[in-house]
Amino acid sequence: MSSNISKLLSRRGIDHSLLEAFHHHQKSPASSRERLIKKLAKEHQIGEAQVAASFSFYDHLDSAGDPRELALCNGTACLCADPDNRLLAALKKRHGKEVTERVSCLGHCYAAHAYLDRGQPCSGDPAPSREPEITNTISDELVRSNLKEPLLTTTPLSIEQTAELITRITTQAPYDLLDQILTSKLRGCGGAGFPTGVKWESCMRVKSTTKFIICNADEGDPGAFSDRYLLESQPLRVLTGMMLAGRVIGATTGLIYLRDEYPHASTTLQKAISDLRAAALLGKGINGGEFDFEIKVILGAGAYICGEETALIASIEGRRPEVAVRPPYPTQSGLYGYPTVVNNVETFAATTAILETSGEEYARLGSTRSTGTKLISLSSLFNQPGIVEVEMGTPLDDLLYQWGDGFSQPVKAIQVGGPLGGVIRTDQTTSLTLDFESFAEHGFVLGHGGIVAIPESMPMNRFIHHLFGFVAEESCGKCFPCRLGSKRGEEMFQHALDGSPLNPQLLDDLLLTLEQGSLCGLGGGIPLPIRNILQQFSDELPWTEGRER
Ligand code: SF4
């Protein structure tokens, strides 16, 4: 069914995609929605129900009006930085009204107190007498590294340096370029850690006249802002990595799926694309050779699940972005059914670093199975918040206490790797190192590398309520353990916050159902941090009698 709709939508292709039409008509009044849906269905030659199902999915395309005029960030770092809701009170005083809208993580976790004012991301001091501080870029002082020669946080590439790298891409054989990526043992930096070279090789081997590269810039994990840094400050590294991937697999089109919570990243990317085009480094016959490559930015519309690759592909096509069962994997059948490589922003930037040095040099960094470097995002409760590029294998405590300089207030735990990542007590961090194996051995995930500090003042039943609420809000709704279970969990912890005791058996059953019955990592992953909290902070929770603490 969905592959048929893909084929139908492919007739208008990415230049006239349904998602872009939705953005175009975003501000259409609710009264004209029905007419608009009929019109779009006719233009795209698909059913009205398909158009309506897709259009109504996104938070930022709400027919009731743009919900982002004034909205609070509901990310984990903002929750932890402001458990007393001081920002809410300050905004109420400034605007003379209650702020009821919420927006997903704005990627300002280093400053916290983030909110949208007239659609612009703001962060910092919420003092009511001041005009909002609009913070476009992550300043250089917030970015550092424990490497003598950082790979991703070094001086941004100039257009001349980029031209030199693109010459290597166009003059070397695809197999030689792939060989460098395989030798580097680079693993995807978006969370799953799948070997990048293996993914590229698998797509390269599929015979097809049309293939796509997709850069997943839908950095939705609350607590992570490393992709935002790369997109805003190192866009040429990301674009060069996409071109490298295109040359290896034989694709001529690259798409960047960018979350629309990052408006400044959109500007920097468009400028970098224009610079490449002006230097004849994009388009047909690059460097007078046979390699053609175009790059286009496509904006998301406020749906966390679009960070999952099958939902992301559905979103670009204009289908309702629900997660699909794999196989087939996108490398075999991706965008419009064509072979597609999807990698995240940091992975593409890392492949550029490999092109600049060599696969062997990259593999010399880190551990045997986790090579190279990783960008880690530190939230505002660190004395030194911001981005740290660390060599893989760095002890976690070095990061927390040397590079993060400890915490600005008493902190009882950290959450690593987004809302689905493990919650670790601050007295249990000593044996962990920052690499995939160490985290897996201890039952955690490194994920996208965001670290949120959880203060002593944060009640853990409130934190669990936040986690369940996040999944309930962001679930794509395809499978009921996640769609219903997350909501039941949120209600269970709302009752606990209201003073009712928690039933341990009911909670265990719910977590097991989520773990075993969910199709993707959102519903299936949320029990991990909750179980971590139950193990380590059980005495904070209001159990019914009889539960062992
Ligand atoms: S687990 Fe949740 S997000 Fe994932 S497919 Fe099922 S309903 Fe969708």
Side-chain angles (χ1 to χ4, degrees):
M1 172 75 164
S2 65
S3 63
N4 290 345
I5 298 167
S6 281
K7 285 286 170 221
L8 292 172
L9 288 165
S10 72
R11 289 176 302 194
R12 286 175 68 94
I14 50 163
D15 289 332
H16 306 280
S17 80
L18 194 49
L19 179 61
E20 285 185 313
F22 293 158
H23 274 292
H24 184 70
H25 295 290
Q26 180 188 349
K27 292 195 187 304
S28 64
S31 55
S32 67
R33 257 305 142 107
E34 212 178 305
R35 226 175 322 123
L36 181 59
I37 286 168
K38 280 187 199 302
K39 177 176 169 283
L40 291 174
K42 203 168 169 192
E43 280 172 11
H44 291 263
Q45 294 176 283
I46 59 169
E48 288 169 29
Q50 297 293 341
V51 177
S54 185
F55 208 166
S56 60
F57 188 88
Y58 300 95
D59 282 354
H60 299 173
L61 302 175
D62 194 332
S63 62
D66 191 343
R68 297 169 300 151
E69 274 302 298
L70 186 61
L72 275 194
C73 175
N74 68 359
T76 316
C78 280
L79 172 81
C80 288
D82 188 17
D84 305 324
N85 293 326
R86 282 172 296 138
L87 175 61
L88 204 58
L91 289 178
K92 186 179 171 189
K93 203 163 173 189
R94 185 193 295 150
H95 292 272
K97 62 176 181 184
E98 207 66 68
V99 182
T100 53
E101 295 293 350
R102 297 290 181 273
V103 65
S104 9
C105 179
L106 291 168
H108 287 235
C109 322
Y110 51 89
H113 295 302
Y115 57 103
L116 279 180
D117 195 336
R118 283 154 281 174
Q120 288 297 317
C122 305
S123 57
D125 187 350
S129 56
R130 295 190 195 169
E131 272 301 293
E133 181 190 339
I134 294 173
T135 40
N136 275 339
T137 48
I138 297 168
S139 66
D140 288 348
E141 301 88 72
L142 290 167
V143 182
R144 53 207 177 274
S145 173
N146 72 352
L147 289 113
K148 274 207 186 85
E149 293 178 21
L151 302 180
L152 307 178
T153 53
T154 183
T155 314
L157 288 176
S158 65
I159 197 77
E160 292 76 20
Q161 289 168 316
T162 309
E164 203 183 299
L165 292 173
I166 291 175
T167 301
R168 287 188 213 170
I169 292 173
T170 53
T171 53
Q172 289 183 32
Y175 270 107
D176 292 340
L177 293 166
L178 174 67
D179 192 45
Q180 292 300 315
I181 305 300
L182 287 166
T183 306
S184 73
K185 298 190 196 153
L186 169 68
R187 293 170 67 171
C189 307
F194 189 81
T196 305
V198 174
K199 184 186 272 190
W200 289 14
E201 187 173 20
S202 135
C203 196
M204 180 193 212
R205 291 187 186 284
V206 183
K207 289 203 184 336
S208 174
T209 49
T210 305
K211 293 183 183 179
F212 291 101
I213 298 296
I214 296 179
C215 174
N216 182 348
D218 196 37
E219 183 178 49
D221 269 355
F225 45 94
S226 47
D227 286 353
R228 186 185 147 218
Y229 159 74
L230 289 170
L231 295 164
E232 292 178 351
S233 302
Q234 306 274 0
L236 287 172
R237 281 186 199 285
V238 181
L239 300 178
T240 305
M242 291 176 69
M243 294 179 77
L244 172 61
R247 171 83 170 138
V248 169
I249 69 157
T252 56
T253 306
L255 301 168
I256 303 173
Y257 187 90
L258 174 68
R259 67 196 303 253
D260 71 343
E261 288 87 347
Y262 288 178
H264 187 59
S266 174
T267 310
T268 50
L269 278 172
Q270 295 293 3
K271 181 178 180 313
I273 291 170
S274 301
D275 290 349
L276 286 177
R277 196 162 286 127
L281 296 169
L282 266 187
K284 288 215 170 293
I286 297 167
N287 280 337
E290 289 175 354
F291 180 50
D292 306 337
F293 203 74
E294 276 297 347
I295 297 182
K296 178 175 176 170
V297 178
I298 292 185
L299 287 183
Y304 172 85
I305 200 59
C306 291
E308 195 281 340
E309 61 182 7
T310 60
L312 184 156
I313 286 169
S315 176
I316 294 177
E317 290 177 359
R319 287 185 286 124
R320 186 175 171 88
E322 287 179 344
V323 174
V325 179
R326 293 171 296 183
Y329 291 93
T331 47
Q332 262 71 44
S333 176
L335 188 65
Y336 301 123
Y338 295 110
T340 303
V341 157
V342 185
N343 278 128
N344 100 313
V345 172
E346 188 177 339
T347 311
F348 282 123
T351 62
T352 301
I354 294 163
L355 187 67
E356 283 177 283
T357 53
S358 72
E360 231 169 83
E361 266 195 54
Y362 189 87
R364 254 182 239 133
L365 293 170
S367 60
T368 325
R369 291 182 54 210
S370 296
T371 57
T373 71
K374 181 84 194 82
L375 296 186
I376 304 288
S377 312
L378 299 180
S379 72
S380 67
L381 294 188
F382 282 87
N383 285 318
Q384 295 280 329
I387 301 277
V388 189
E389 181 179 5
V390 294
E391 182 171 355
M392 282 284 199
T394 298
L396 178 58
D397 276 0
D398 283 7
L399 176 78
L400 302 182
Y401 300 105
Q402 186 182 342
W403 296 95
D405 194 21
F407 307 105
S408 58
Q409 59 175 270
V411 161
K412 58 183 167 190
I414 53 172
Q415 186 172 30
V416 184
L420 312 177
V423 171
I424 310 165
R425 283 177 78 111
T426 39
D427 57 7
Q428 302 290 318
T429 53
T430 319
S431 54
L432 280 158
T433 53
L434 287 156
D435 52 70
F436 294 108
E437 292 73 44
S438 173
F439 270 67
E441 250 170 53
H442 288 80
F444 303 123
V445 288
L446 184 54
H448 193 40
I451 301 189
V452 173
I454 305 171
E456 287 283 0
S457 57
M458 169 61 64
M460 279 315 210
N461 52 356
R462 184 159 171 217
F463 195 81
I464 296 179
H465 177 260
H466 166 78
L467 294 177
F468 270 128
F470 175 81
V471 179
E473 176 68 25
E474 301 296 351
S475 167
C476 81
K478 180 156 182 162
C479 49
F480 70 81
C482 167
R483 185 178 71 227
L484 302 180
S486 55
K487 195 68 198 160
R488 292 293 91 85
E490 188 186 17
E491 288 164 359
M492 192 184 286
F493 277 84
Q494 184 59 57
H495 292 151
L497 287 169
D498 293 342
S500 301
L502 276 170
N503 180 329
Q505 187 59 53
L506 203 57
L507 181 57
D508 281 349
D509 287 351
L510 178 60
L511 295 177
L512 194 68
T513 308
L514 278 161
E515 263 164 1
Q516 298 194 347
S518 299
L519 174 59
C520 83
L522 183 57
I526 200 64
L528 170 73
I530 295 174
R531 285 199 196 285
N532 292 158
I533 295 170
L534 299 184
Q535 276 161 9
Q536 302 172 87
F537 296 97
S538 180
D539 53 355
E540 274 196 31
L541 300 171
W543 299 110
T544 50
E545 281 184 20
R547 157 105 190 184
E548 281 181 28
R549 299 191 167 199

